[in-house]
Amino acid sequence: MKTISMVITNSGDGSNAVRWVTDPAVLDKMQELADDGDEKYASGDGLQVTELGFPDDFNMDLWMKLNSIEVTTVEDFE
């Protein structure tokens, strides 16, 4: 099964955004930031993650391209 996670983040201006994640290390970093009280990731309810699952033969790259999905990477935190 292929998976991608949606993480709801606080944009700081009263709005929210969705960050897309495929790397468990990125989710770990977001969880660490939420646990440390970073409101971008904690947003009052802790880290809000929903995981979507797809069959192994699903063309994830094409689906992301067609839906203009940009994935958050570990390098985004550096």
Side-chain angles (χ1 to χ4, degrees):
M1 176 178 288
K2 295 180 181 180
T3 62
I4 188 169
S5 297
M6 299 182 301
V7 178
I8 298 173
T9 60
N10 179 348
S11 298
D13 61 0
S15 66
N16 294 314
V18 172
R19 309 268 316 254
W20 294 94
V21 179
T22 56
D23 183 350
V26 173
L27 289 176
D28 290 344
K29 179 63 176 176
M30 289 176 169
Q31 184 64 61
E32 178 184 321
L33 291 167
D35 291 345
D36 289 343
D38 186 326
E39 290 186 23
K40 182 173 188 169
Y41 299 100
S43 66
D45 296 320
L47 189 64
Q48 298 180 56
V49 180
T50 300
E51 185 175 89
L52 302 177
F54 299 95
D56 287 329
D57 62 349
F58 183 75
N59 189 334
M60 181 79 75
D61 291 331
L62 178 60
W63 179 79
M64 290 190 302
K65 180 179 178 179
L66 292 173
N67 289 285
S68 301
I69 292 176
E70 295 182 28
V71 175
T72 302
T73 65
V74 172
E75 290 79 22
D76 293 326
F77 292 97
E78 296 176 353

